[in-house]
Amino acid sequence: QKEVEQNSGPLSVPEGAIASLNCTYSDRGSQSFFWYRQYSGKSPELIMSIYSNGDKEDGRFTAQLNKASQYVSLLIRDSQPSDSATYLCAVSDTGGYNKLIFGAGTRLAVHP
Amino acid sequence: GAVVSQHPSRVICKSGTSVKIECRSLDFQATTMFWYRQFPKQSLMLMATSNEGSKATYEQGVEKDKFLINHASLTLSTLTVTSAHPEDSSFYICSAPGSGSPDTQYFGPGTRLTVL
């Protein structure tokens, strides 16, 4: 069974610190990787997508991908209280057209 | 671009009634849409893939006769929860692949269903 694993948290970081969120996946054939942010009671919002090994930066967010280790991470620099949310890692499902496999999410709490 | 809307945002109904939820892609066409369900403090669970012009594909364990999906046009998919019961109370979210990046899914705002 294809799985995406995330630490459920909560991950608690002080304001201004770097938050590091990790994700591992089981489907070695996956080619597309995504991070979504979900505030309580809201639907997921796309933050980052990454397709190649290495780092991809967008503002305060950096996604890192290591296909050999089947590992994806998201770094949030200068964390703000507004970053407090659940972060979902999603991986493309090689068995289904445009389907994604979601992790259970990591809850991030940024405290002032 | 890639804006997805859902209606209604919140619905409360009595047990035994049917509820229809609409999902629309506002600025792009979507031949495929996905329906998810999310219980409190749990992750998204894919229920089915909605295909324009053909039958929906349901995930294992999802009752297709209870959760009716109709993809009426390239911008509209509907999910009807038939004979709803309290255990169907959940957050239902649709998504659609972006036209420029078909493997990227954009989510609607979700529909909170409460069955009394």
Side-chain angles (χ1 to χ4, degrees), chain A:
Chain A
Q1 184 172 346
K2 300 170 186 174
E3 294 182 337
V4 176
E5 299 284 346
Q6 292 182 257
N7 189 319
S8 62
L11 173 65
S12 183
V13 300
E15 184 174 356
I18 295 176
S20 177
L21 305 162
N22 305 314
C23 168
T24 58
Y25 60 94
S26 64
D27 189 349
R28 187 170 286 277
S30 294
Q31 297 296 319
S32 306
F33 307 86
F34 306 89
W35 283 99
Y36 287 84
R37 176 176 62 198
Q38 186 175 25
Y39 291 112
S40 180
K42 304 295 185 182
S43 67
E45 170 193 12
L46 179 67
I47 296 178
M48 294 278 289
S49 59
I50 187 167
Y51 304 94
S52 304
N53 282 327
D55 295 358
K56 178 181 178 182
E57 186 175 320
D58 184 359
R60 295 187 295 112
F61 300 98
T62 298
Q64 299 174 317
L65 174 62
N66 184 326
K67 290 184 180 179
S69 300
Q70 295 174 244
Y71 176 88
V72 195
S73 67
L74 179 70
L75 300 178
I76 306 174
R77 290 182 299 280
D78 188 24
S79 296
Q80 301 297 310
S82 59
D83 295 325
S84 299
T86 297
Y87 290 80
L88 303 173
C89 173
V91 172
S92 60
D93 183 348
T94 55
Y97 181 68
N98 289 342
K99 287 169 60 173
L100 295 179
I101 305 170
F102 282 86
T106 297
R107 190 158 59 91
L108 173 66
V110 181
H111 53 87

Side-chain angles (χ1 to χ4, degrees), chain B residues 75-87:
Chain B
T75 59
L76 174 64
S77 174
T78 60
L79 168 68
T80 301
V81 183
T82 63
S83 186
H85 291 284
E87 58 266 30

